[in-house]
Amino acid sequence: MSTTARYPDLNAKPVLVTGGADGIGRAVVAAFADQGASVGFIDIDAGRGEALAAELAAAGATVAFAAADLRDIAASGAAIAALSVKLGAFAVLVNNAGHDERHRFDDVTPAYWDDRMAVNLRHMMFVTQAVVPDMRARGGGVVINLSSTSWMQGSPGIIAYTTAKSAVIGFTRSLARELGPDGIRVNAVTPGWVMTERQRAAATPERLARAQERQALKGEIMPDDLAAMVLFLASDGARMCTGQNYIVDAGVV
Ligand SMILES: NC(=O)c1ccc[n+]([C@@H]2O[C@H](COP(=O)([O-])OP(=O)(O)OC[C@H]3O[C@@H](n4cnc5c(N)ncnc54)[C@H](O)[C@@H]3O)[C@@H](O)[C@H]2O)c1
């Protein structure tokens, strides 16, 4: 972890992370496990998910994994219910899953558009809807939604993705008002270009150099840098933070 901060209130707290098998989600799952939280995570990649759960459990963490495609709302609901039976009523939800698959504007079909919304936006609504009754019963909770700076920059070649990721901010703003009276805080975390395994594999020396030119801080943004922000927002340290967007991009936008 890139942070040494400890949050005692996260110890033994049931936490749900979507898309937790790889990349930023994986770092978030590991960071909560390191705080002693009871971490449940959902991913479409059963192999990676089971391997991560086994690795963390071997290190003494309380962790549970359920495989599901978050585009399938019913399957996602069943996965959440199964994890909640194992870990308890969720107090924290991190809506992290997403995919920035490239697409040409001219090639986008209605079916492709709908699929990108399902991958990058729709599950946030329905996973939250499934978890909120537990949070209400607990007397409060935290929801954290992953956006992206790509929509702020108007990045081309991913119009369905940028549209969905900008909507994550509108969703966050309204959800904070919807759920604030229940003691549930809702915030967005917006990464710049984060060096996950998948992003590193797609990086060219030219793209890496251009990113460094644009960043105020020189150096790579790592998944742990996002996990550090997520942990803080999930903790009682952020008890009066809601409806906001926290950007971790080394100073680009
Ligand atoms: N890495 C970056 O530079 C970056 C930048 C801006 C925003 N983000 C956002 O951060 C979040 C995490 O991104 P990442 O870079 O870690 O991605 P990643 O591809 O490394 O990991 C995403 C995880 O989500 C899972 N997933 C994808 N679609 C799913 C589905 N339909 N059902 C269940 N699981 C699914 C994948 O299997 C994977 O384990 C995403 O919302 C992404 O849009 C990332």
Side-chain angles (χ1 to χ4, degrees):
M1 272 298 291
S2 64
T3 177
T4 52
R6 305 302 303 173
Y7 300 102
D9 59 282
L10 294 178
N11 188 49
K13 211 164 241 185
V15 173
L16 177 63
V17 181
T18 68
D22 205 0
I24 294 168
R26 179 189 174 93
V28 168
V29 167
F32 276 112
D34 182 56
Q35 297 285 333
S38 302
V39 195
F41 66 106
I42 296 174
D43 206 288
I44 196 170
D45 188 335
R48 271 182 191 269
E50 276 155 18
L52 176 60
E55 183 188 319
L56 293 172
T62 304
V63 61
F65 168 70
D69 182 344
L70 290 153
R71 290 172 293 187
D72 182 337
I73 304 300
S76 306
I80 294 163
L83 291 172
S84 175
V85 165
K86 286 185 188 160
L87 301 172
F90 288 114
V92 177
L93 165 63
V94 184
N95 281 314
N96 162 78
H99 200 287
D100 64 349
E101 183 173 270
R102 296 309 193 245
H103 45 272
R104 290 184 61 246
F105 168 78
D106 289 321
D107 296 340
V108 173
T109 61
Y112 185 76
W113 180 268
D114 288 349
D115 186 63
R116 290 302 91 189
M117 294 303 140
V119 167
N120 289 301
L121 177 64
R122 190 176 63 161
H123 59 81
M124 292 195 182
M125 171 65 195
F126 294 102
V127 171
T128 306
Q129 205 179 53
V131 168
V132 157
D134 272 2
M135 291 183 177
R136 286 191 177 124
R138 293 181 63 97
V142 180
V143 179
I144 297 165
N145 303 317
L146 271 285
S147 180
S148 163
T149 54
S150 58
W151 72 266
M152 299 173 181
Q153 302 177 71
S155 302
I158 40 171
I159 194 162
Y161 177 79
T162 53
T163 302
K165 287 297 183 180
S166 65
V168 169
I169 303 299
F171 174 64
T172 299
R173 300 276 301 162
S174 287
L175 195 63
R177 291 269 178 201
E178 293 273 357
L179 303 180
D182 295 315
I184 299 170
R185 298 188 289 105
V186 186
N187 289 292
V189 169
T190 293
W193 192 21
V194 182
M195 281 302 119
T196 59
E197 270 182 41
R198 204 166 58 73
Q199 296 296 331
R200 171 117 32 226
T204 61
E206 295 72 32
R207 280 188 71 206
L208 286 166
R210 208 162 49 241
Q212 289 305 308
E213 271 170 33
R214 296 167 68 207
Q215 289 179 200
L217 296 172
K218 309 304 171 186
E220 293 181 340
I221 309 167
M222 300 305 293
D224 279 351
D225 296 316
L226 276 298
M229 177 62 84
V230 169
L231 285 186
F232 168 69
L233 290 172
S235 79
D236 289 348
R239 71 180 194 94
M240 290 311 254
C241 300
T242 199
Q244 301 303 315
N245 178 25
Y246 296 85
I247 299 171
V248 183
D249 76 339
V252 175
V253 298

